[in-house]
Amino acid sequence: MSAPVYLDYAATSPVDPRVAEAMSRHLTQDGIFANPASRSHMPGWLAEQAVEGARRQVADLIHADPREIVWTSGATEADNLALVGFMRANRARGRHLVTSIIEHKAIVDTAHALETEGFEVTWLTPGPDGRVTPTQLREALRDDTVLVSLMAVNNELGCIHDLKALAEVAHAGGAAFHVDGAQAAGKLDLDVQRLGIDLLSLSAHKLYGPKGIGALFVRRHPDIRLEALIHGGGHERGMRSGTLATHQIVGMGEAFALAQQEGEADQAHIACLQTRFLNGLADLEGIHRNTDTRVALPNIVNLAFDGVDGESLLMALRNIAISTGSACNSASVEPSYVLKGIGVPHARALASLRFSFGRFATEADVDTAIAELRHAVVALRR
Ligand SMILES: *Cc1c(COP(=O)(O)O)cnc(C)c1O
């Protein structure tokens, strides 16, 4: 059996071979393997140089200073550090956080954990396009609001927030602005200066880098204070201790540098694939776009297929690797909280699938997906 066509880039992407090659030079004895914190010998200095080179590559993509980049194990940890670290460090100023109900679980679950610590959270409901408006945010702010956290691009829908307008509202209300940029980095302009972002969570593996590495941008002017969550050794200016994973970091740096060079070409390629995909399904009846494609990145499209069950459809689509918007609990299948959160009816949410395209997807892949889908949907409706 041949490998299925991979259209689940929003879950993770394959590592770019150029990234894998750079990583492999930072592992073995003939490579740069030493501890970047070893200050007493040349191998240590070389490792430190590699880490600092990668820090600049990541900073460059978001127009930050390298000193504003803190390495983490991924966007999940970056989200935890941003929310918990910031709320704890600023608790004397206020205890109120504003976020939305369709954030990634790394935000939703962390905000719930903060509620059990005595912090208060306002949960905004986005519109049907998946976006919170600046007016909505303004109305949610209170005197004791210290932080607003909203994602740049939603991982199930692809919709893009108006970050600049939202940052202005947060700042006018005296709050700092955190953005989960895991799905957005390298795919849209995430210039932290222009947009007014104070904290930005990043991940390597959604952008052709390795899993298990990410970063948090922490603004220096004005200075954003965080309480560390992981103690020991005082690495990363005390914000995140632990021996730096040189090979992972080099991989993330290389992936972000490639995105800076090739991101626009990638997005143009992906937009063509999306158009081809949607055109190929255009005459099939009973398809609804949960993604409002007018306000979304081209790489994610979430579709509902009337009259079919999402799980059965997924089963029938053996040759395409995609994901449902639903999570299986042991007893029942629950629709995605994101789809529910934007008001998609229960049955339609259960009949929804997320297709996501990327650098290595081809027109032939898209054609295979169209053919399989058409066949399966018609068969299941019969
Ligand atoms: C994937 C993802 C995360 C988690 O990133 P990891 O690096 O896998 O921990 C967080 N937020 C969003 C929006 C994501 O898509």
Side-chain angles (χ1 to χ4, degrees):
M1 216 178 87
S2 63
V5 164
Y6 189 79
L7 295 180
D8 205 11
Y9 278 81
T12 195
S13 55
V15 172
D16 189 292
R18 294 166 290 184
V19 170
E21 199 275 326
M23 291 175 69
S24 72
R25 284 186 272 111
H26 294 81
L27 287 164
T28 50
Q29 193 178 6
D30 58 345
I32 296 175
F33 67 88
N35 191 326
S38 292
R39 291 278 158 78
S40 57
H41 48 67
M42 175 69 89
W45 304 334
L46 290 176
E48 186 189 22
Q49 229 173 51
V51 164
E52 295 314 313
R55 200 187 298 277
R56 179 164 292 282
Q57 288 170 315
V58 169
D60 279 351
L61 187 70
I62 60 167
H63 301 263
D65 185 299
R67 289 170 295 180
E68 296 175 312
I69 302 298
V70 175
W71 300 116
T72 64
S73 61
T76 300
E77 187 190 328
D79 284 343
N80 274 265
L81 178 56
L83 262 55
V84 179
F86 186 90
M87 295 307 289
R88 286 186 186 163
N90 290 277
R91 110 179 80 199
R93 285 203 299 124
R95 297 177 157 260
H96 185 226
L97 163 73
V98 179
T99 187
S100 92
I101 59 171
I102 67 162
E103 296 298 304
H104 191 272
K105 283 286 184 186
I107 295 292
V108 172
D109 289 353
T110 304
H112 279 308
L114 283 167
E115 285 177 324
T116 68
E117 264 184 53
F119 293 102
E120 287 176 41
V121 180
T122 293
W123 298 92
L124 296 173
T125 300
D129 65 358
R131 305 192 306 167
V132 167
T133 65
T135 307
Q136 253 184 305
L137 176 58
R138 191 174 298 114
E139 286 163 2
L141 295 178
R142 313 192 316 211
D143 288 343
D144 61 341
T145 309
V146 286
L147 185 64
V148 172
S149 178
L150 291 168
M151 65 208 311
V153 170
N154 183 275
N155 48 298
E156 289 191 32
L157 299 166
C159 55
I160 305 166
H161 261 139
D162 184 349
L163 297 176
K164 189 167 192 292
L166 294 164
E168 276 166 15
V169 170
H171 292 157
F177 190 52
H178 168 252
V179 173
D180 179 339
Q183 292 287 347
K187 300 179 178 105
L188 56 82
D189 183 24
L190 272 188
D191 180 335
V192 292
Q193 307 309 340
R194 185 178 66 77
L195 298 171
I197 295 171
D198 300 307
L199 291 154
L200 177 65
S201 299
L202 299 167
S203 180
H205 75 93
K206 309 278 172 70
L207 194 59
Y208 319 106
K211 294 173 229 341
I213 184 71
L216 180 65
F217 157 79
V218 184
R219 180 175 287 285
R220 281 164 64 92
H221 305 289
D223 195 21
I224 295 288
R225 298 242 141 257
L226 297 181
E227 227 173 72
L229 305 183
I230 296 176
H231 306 277
H235 304 73
E236 300 297 277
R237 285 168 289 118
M239 279 185 268
R240 204 284 194 174
S241 289
T243 301
L244 294 176
T246 314
H247 62 301
Q248 303 285 83
I249 288 169
V250 164
M252 181 164 178
E254 184 67 20
F256 274 50
L258 288 171
Q260 192 153 31
Q261 294 154 25
E262 300 176 7
E264 264 178 54
D266 284 341
Q267 286 305 98
H269 165 67
I270 287 162
C272 287
L273 294 181
Q274 195 211 45
T275 303
R276 188 180 184 93
F277 180 66
L278 293 174
N279 285 344
L281 297 173
D283 63 327
L284 203 57
E285 277 173 30
I287 299 186
H288 297 271
R289 287 188 196 173
N290 297 320
T291 297
D292 184 338
T293 49
R294 293 166 304 180
V295 298
L297 284 180
N299 55 299
I300 297 178
V301 62
N302 195 307
L303 300 177
F305 299 86
D306 278 356
V308 303
D309 168 60
E311 288 300 311
S312 314
L313 182 55
L314 204 64
M315 291 300 186
L317 298 172
R318 277 284 166 228
N319 294 311
I320 334 178
I322 47 170
S323 73
T324 45
S326 47
C328 288
N329 300 333
S330 51
S332 65
V333 180
E334 284 295 320
S336 141
Y337 71 94
V338 172
L339 296 179
K340 237 165 76 179
I342 62 165
V344 175
H346 189 89
R348 186 173 286 173
L350 282 177
S352 295
L353 298 175
R354 176 188 69 184
F355 302 86
S356 51
F357 310 100
R359 185 178 286 166
F360 307 112
T362 63
E363 290 188 348
D365 291 342
V366 168
D367 293 345
T368 302
I370 292 167
E372 283 246 335
L373 259 174
R374 296 183 70 97
H375 179 80
V377 169
V378 170
L380 286 171
R381 279 184 183 157
R382 215 183 280 128

